């Protein structure tokens, strides 16, 4: 019998891409690629210069590593994601980095972004 957890995770990923994703454009310089992505959100806290803790959130995009990696390798700060007419820029969340694996089998990248404006 095969690894049931891996098989279940793969099935769930397929269902997410088929039923819970939208088309976005990922840009790095002049290079761009249309990808299927699921919108997400990460909450985080930062401390300002006066010691006040400020809570905020960023928009995440979950993309299939199999679609992303052959074209771009890993996400890089400054890359852009255009979704629904809005431009999002890949950004680091301090000690959390600018992306992370979203599952134990490294099928999905969770990319942290901030909104920077409307798409031209």
């Amino acid at each position: 019998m095969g690894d049931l957890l891996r098989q279940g995770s793969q099935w769930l990923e397929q269902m997410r891409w088929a039923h819970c994703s939208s088309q976005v454009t990922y840009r790095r310089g002049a290079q761009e690629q249309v990808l299927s992505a699921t919108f997400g959100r990460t909450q985080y806290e930062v401390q300002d210069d006066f010691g006040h803790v400020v809570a905020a959130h960023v928009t995440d995009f979950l993309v299939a590593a199999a679609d992303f990696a052959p074209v771009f390798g890993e996400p890089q700060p400054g890359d852009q994601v255009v979704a629904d007419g809005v431009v999002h820029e890949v950004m680091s969340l301090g000690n959390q980095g600018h992306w992370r694996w979203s599952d134990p089998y490294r099928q999905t990248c969770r990319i942290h972004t901030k909104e920077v404006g409307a798409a031209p």
Side-chain angles (χ1 to χ4, degrees):
M1 180 170 273
D3 183 342
L4 291 178
L5 289 176
R6 182 182 296 268
Q7 290 172 7
S9 179
Q10 289 170 339
W11 181 82
L12 284 171
E13 289 300 311
Q14 291 170 357
M15 293 301 104
R16 184 159 44 96
W17 299 131
H19 303 291
C20 301
S21 65
S22 302
Q23 297 291 301
V24 301
T25 301
Y26 193 92
R27 294 182 186 155
R28 178 176 293 157
Q31 185 178 19
E32 55 181 54
Q33 176 80 22
V34 174
L35 301 168
S36 292
T38 302
F39 290 76
R41 179 177 165 144
T42 296
Q43 295 285 128
Y44 69 101
E45 294 180 347
V46 293
Q47 190 169 5
D48 67 13
D49 294 338
F50 302 103
H52 297 102
V53 176
V54 179
H57 74 273
V58 294
T59 301
D60 293 336
F61 292 94
L62 285 76
V63 298
D67 295 339
F68 187 86
V71 178
F72 296 104
E74 292 185 355
Q76 299 296 320
D79 290 355
Q80 295 183 333
V81 180
V82 181
D84 296 334
V86 178
V87 180
H88 302 264
E89 187 172 296
V90 176
M91 64 171 279
S92 181
L93 290 181
N95 62 353
Q96 294 185 39
H98 54 279
W99 75 279
R100 64 180 169 87
W101 293 112
S102 189
D103 63 285
Y105 302 106
R106 297 185 174 199
Q107 300 173 91
T108 304
C109 298
R110 176 179 285 267
I111 304 168
H112 305 304
T113 68
K114 63 180 177 181
E115 185 177 323
V116 293

